[in-house]
Amino acid sequence: MSDLKKEAASLHKAASGLRTVGHHTAKPLREFKAASHDLSALGALGSLLGAKDDIEEGMTTLANLTRQLDEEWEAEAKLIGEVSDAFDLLDILLAAQARAKKG
């Protein structure tokens, strides 16, 4: 197996792994978002009442950042997959060129 073929296989595996990240984070992210709107336990603590809005806002920000990270990883996975495909094609072209020189 040529180096390009090995690199393409490695990139393909990495891209597949990145594509699955969103599947693993979807449920925890939904639960986290839901919890950011149910901070009733803080209401009982008078000194934290003012912090409730800040905590909600912070949790919402974290949830949004996580969603953006998932989108970025998906875009990176797509790019890595395209690079992997390009390496596969280059490997085929180089092999064909080598056969043509021998033939």
Side-chain angles (χ1 to χ4, degrees), residues 34-88:
S36 72
H37 299 296
D38 182 25
L39 299 174
S40 56
L42 295 177
L45 305 171
S47 62
L48 290 178
L49 268 176
K52 181 180 181 292
D53 289 339
D54 292 339
I55 292 170
E56 271 185 39
E57 185 179 327
M59 290 176 77
T60 299
T61 299
L62 283 173
N64 289 337
L65 289 172
T66 302
R67 181 187 47 76
Q68 290 172 358
L69 217 77
D70 282 344
E71 291 170 0
E72 183 176 326
W73 286 334
E74 182 63 34
E76 285 187 31
K78 182 180 178 196
L79 178 63
I80 290 171
E82 290 170 355
V83 170
S84 172
D85 292 344
F87 280 0
D88 280 336

Side-chain angles (χ1 to χ4, degrees), residues 2 4 89-103:
S2 72
L4 280 175
L89 181 59
L90 182 58
D91 186 57
I92 291 168
L93 292 172
L94 290 173
Q97 182 183 30
R99 281 193 303 274
K101 284 183 180 179
K102 288 181 182 178

Side-chain angles (χ1 to χ4, degrees), residues 2-23:
S2 72
D3 288 341
L4 280 175
K5 193 76 168 168
K6 289 177 186 176
E7 190 65 29
S10 176
L11 287 170
H12 179 71
K13 185 176 178 181
S16 295
L18 273 176
R19 282 187 191 99
T20 63
V21 171
H23 300 293

